[in-house]
Amino acid sequence: MSKWYGNLINRLEEGRSVPDIKPGTDITMYYWSDRTCYYVVDVENQKRIKVRQYHVCADHDKPGGMGHQNWMYFKTADEMNDYLRKYFPDTYREHEEEPEPETWVYRYNKWKQEVTYTKENYCTAKELKSLKEKGYYKRYFDLSGKISFGVRSYHYDWSF
């Protein structure tokens, strides 16, 4: 029997799935006690997707302060900056370039992040042979936390 760790709610919620992943599907990634949210940008097939992380900030229309869990979700940093400018007009942030979407693949019964290395990226001697032959090298990394599809539930644990 495996030992439970972290937040009980996160352990109960993680692993939920939807039968059909499509662009716009929300994803929640569960850590020890926190949660972050992503959304699907593109679906190549049900085992290969491109995702972006939501930009999240406090909902200033609701009472907040230390310990609140009232969040606003934005797909771009510019949307979030426009929202924040209503409440903090003196604060101005330059336009931020959005990072490229991450590629996630379902391999060996879990979702992993696919990272492609090219000649411009750093590579080790082991990868050099493949890099010379194909012009790129792919590696797959376990995601930082467990995920659920069809759920958007950001949580920040203020006690850590």
Side-chain angles (χ1 to χ4, degrees), residues 138-153:
K138 292 187 180 192
R139 293 193 61 196
Y140 300 91
F141 298 95
D142 289 345
L143 297 177
S144 301
K146 295 185 178 175
I147 60 172
S148 290
F149 287 92
V151 180
R152 182 177 68 182
S153 177

Side-chain angles (χ1 to χ4, degrees), residues 114-136:
E114 178 185 273
V115 178
T116 303
Y117 296 95
T118 61
K119 293 177 182 172
E120 290 79 36
N121 297 1
Y122 172 78
C123 69
T124 65
K126 178 182 169 185
E127 300 161 349
L128 193 56
K129 181 180 176 189
S130 175
L131 195 59
K132 285 179 181 176
E133 292 171 4
K134 300 180 194 171
Y136 66 90

Side-chain angles (χ1 to χ4, degrees), residues 15 18 46 51 84 90 93 98 101 116 122 127 146 152:
V18 293
Q46 293 299 299
V51 302
L84 290 173
D90 298 335
R93 295 173 83 176
E98 293 295 322
T116 303
Y122 172 78
E127 300 161 349
K146 295 185 178 175
R152 182 177 68 182

Side-chain angles (χ1 to χ4, degrees), residues 10-157:
N10 285 3
R11 301 299 72 81
L12 294 173
E13 293 289 324
E14 65 194 15
R16 285 189 181 182
S17 191
V18 293
D20 188 29
I21 301 169
K22 53 189 173 226
T25 300
D26 290 325
I27 304 168
T28 298
M29 185 177 292
Y30 301 89
Y31 303 103
W32 180 267
S33 61
D34 294 341
R35 293 178 227 136
T36 56
C37 298
Y38 294 80
Y39 62 97
V40 176
V41 176
D42 187 33
V43 178
E44 290 182 32
N45 58 52
Q46 293 299 299
K47 294 189 175 195
R48 185 181 188 81
I49 59 176
K50 293 196 179 279
V51 302
R52 275 206 173 108
Q53 187 170 353
Y54 276 106
H55 296 271
V56 180
C57 72
D59 184 349
H60 294 283
D61 292 330
K62 296 181 181 171
M66 181 87 165
H68 79 84
Q69 293 299 330
N70 301 316
W71 305 105
M72 297 287 293
Y73 302 90
F74 302 95
K75 292 190 174 182
T76 67
D78 288 341
E79 288 176 1
M80 182 177 75
N81 291 337
D82 290 343
Y83 170 77
L84 290 173
R85 209 168 283 124
K86 290 189 314 189
Y87 298 96
F88 309 104
D90 298 335
T91 305
Y92 177 75
R93 295 173 83 176
E94 294 289 327
H95 166 75
E96 296 179 35
E97 289 295 320
E98 293 295 322
E100 287 295 314
E102 296 177 11
T103 300
W104 290 2
V105 295
Y106 192 75
R107 294 173 50 121
Y108 307 112
N109 290 329
K110 60 166 59 170
W111 285 95
K112 297 175 177 268
Q113 181 183 7
E114 178 185 273
V115 178
T116 303
Y117 296 95
T118 61
K119 293 177 182 172
E120 290 79 36
N121 297 1
Y122 172 78
C123 69
T124 65
K126 178 182 169 185
E127 300 161 349
L128 193 56
K129 181 180 176 189
S130 175
L131 195 59
K132 285 179 181 176
E133 292 171 4
K134 300 180 194 171
Y136 66 90
Y137 180 80
K138 292 187 180 192
R139 293 193 61 196
Y140 300 91
F141 298 95
D142 289 345
L143 297 177
S144 301
K146 295 185 178 175
I147 60 172
S148 290
F149 287 92
V151 180
R152 182 177 68 182
S153 177
Y154 182 84
H155 180 81
Y156 179 79
D157 188 345

